[in-house]
Amino acid sequence: MTTKIAFGVDVGGSGIKGAPVDLATGDLADDRFKIATPQPSTPDAVVDVICELLDHFSLPVTVPVGVAFPAPIIDGQVPWIANLDQSWTGVNLGEAVQAGTGRHCTVVNDADAAGYAEVMYGAAKGHMGTVAIFTLGTGIGSALVTGGRLWPNSELGHITLPKGDAEKWTAASIKDKEGLTYPQWAKRLQVYFDEIEKLFSPDLIVVGGGVSRKHEKFLPLLKLRPPIIPAELRNTAGIVGAAVLAAQESGLLKRL
Ligand code: BGC
């Protein structure tokens, strides 16, 4: 059997990364290539980097390409954006990437990609209940997967807590910025996840993002009804999820 491959790109605030993904295992099929996110991170500058990544791997046209992006994506378009250049507002990412690369690319929210990858290959592999997956980083990304299907653009990092926008009080970047200890930060996470539990009644919560490498310092402090566990794919989750969603859209891979 030949290996089924798709290509994933993950656009982040500090780096834009890409790699081919083995769809049978969810492993990267080659080394990840990373280019610093241009500053300012305008549409033209970011699309140029995505083109550079694709050129680096010289992909056959038959390989589906997925791009994970840190904003909601509705019919390819970015309605608003929290953590990249504001000139993205209203831009059709799908069309911009297609114009730049000359190929169709599936475009998805970065946390949706990462969360879906966890359900396909990682910490929530094959879970058919309601799984809520979070990435704690510069902001808070979320993915809701229920019955193996993704509810796209959940944007639960922006629910309103008593202190305001959740990610501005609870993201991992805020922990660093305010110099919070893990127990201090965990108190904020408790407020956040209590609200998530109340609103969505997930069967399982998965926590990813760079800080999840230190999960034993804060996850055991959280008291919630559903289990709350660390993500497994870590910093490849966005790439893997974008590749998988592209492969599913193109018909190369079956949905769960
Ligand atoms: C954005 C989300 C994104 C998350 C993680 C949030 O600020 O609104 O779309 O998934 O950050 O990058």
Side-chain angles (χ1 to χ4, degrees):
M1 203 185 79
T2 53
T3 318
K4 284 187 184 171
I5 299 280
F7 190 81
V9 176
D10 190 9
V11 178
S14 57
I16 303 180
K17 309 166 279 192
V21 174
D22 178 338
L23 297 168
T25 60
D27 294 330
L28 300 192
D30 198 346
D31 287 344
R32 201 175 62 137
F33 189 57
K34 179 174 174 177
I35 298 175
T37 306
Q39 301 300 338
S41 49
T42 56
D44 284 350
V46 169
V47 170
D48 280 352
V49 171
I50 295 173
C51 294
E52 212 180 314
L53 276 177
L54 290 182
D55 286 348
H56 175 83
F57 288 93
S58 337
L59 298 169
V61 280
T62 48
V63 174
V65 176
V67 177
F69 192 79
I73 307 285
I74 302 172
D75 296 330
Q77 195 175 14
V78 178
W80 53 267
I81 189 156
N83 296 316
L84 282 190
D85 198 80
Q86 287 304 308
S87 59
W88 275 102
T89 308
V91 169
N92 191 305
L93 172 65
E95 287 173 10
V97 174
Q98 177 147 13
T101 62
R103 56 196 296 159
H104 171 76
C105 300
T106 299
V107 291
V108 293
N109 171 261
D110 58 354
D112 280 346
Y116 194 68
E118 291 293 337
V119 178
M120 284 292 290
Y121 307 104
K125 186 171 176 180
H127 200 300
M128 293 309 276
T130 297
V131 189
I133 307 102
F134 297 86
T135 54
L136 305 179
T138 309
I140 296 182
S142 67
L144 288 176
V145 181
T146 186
R149 288 295 168 108
L150 178 67
W151 175 313
N153 300 313
S154 51
E155 292 294 337
L156 304 183
H158 299 289
I159 61 170
T160 305
L161 296 178
K163 295 281 186 185
D165 189 45
E167 77 171 20
K168 295 208 169 65
W169 189 61
T170 324
S173 60
I174 303 296
K175 172 189 177 299
D176 296 342
K177 200 164 134 193
E178 295 186 18
L180 302 177
T181 62
Y182 280 101
Q184 284 168 334
W185 185 48
K187 284 198 181 132
R188 295 190 183 189
L189 291 174
Q190 183 73 51
V191 173
Y192 178 63
F193 285 118
D194 277 343
E195 198 62 15
I196 296 295
E197 184 184 328
K198 184 172 90 189
L199 295 175
F200 298 96
S201 303
D203 299 310
L204 177 67
I205 300 177
V206 178
V207 176
V211 73
S212 66
R213 272 195 299 271
K214 301 270 173 66
H215 59 88
E216 69 293 341
K217 293 192 190 277
F218 61 99
L219 290 188
L221 304 178
L222 301 178
K223 303 289 168 257
L224 295 155
R225 184 194 52 78
I228 180 160
I229 60 172
E232 281 178 10
L233 300 176
R234 305 284 160 81
N235 58 7
T236 61
I239 292 178
V240 174
V244 163
L245 289 164
Q248 289 182 341
E249 191 186 80
S250 76
L252 181 66
L253 188 71
K254 274 214 238 104
R255 293 177 202 273
L256 270 180

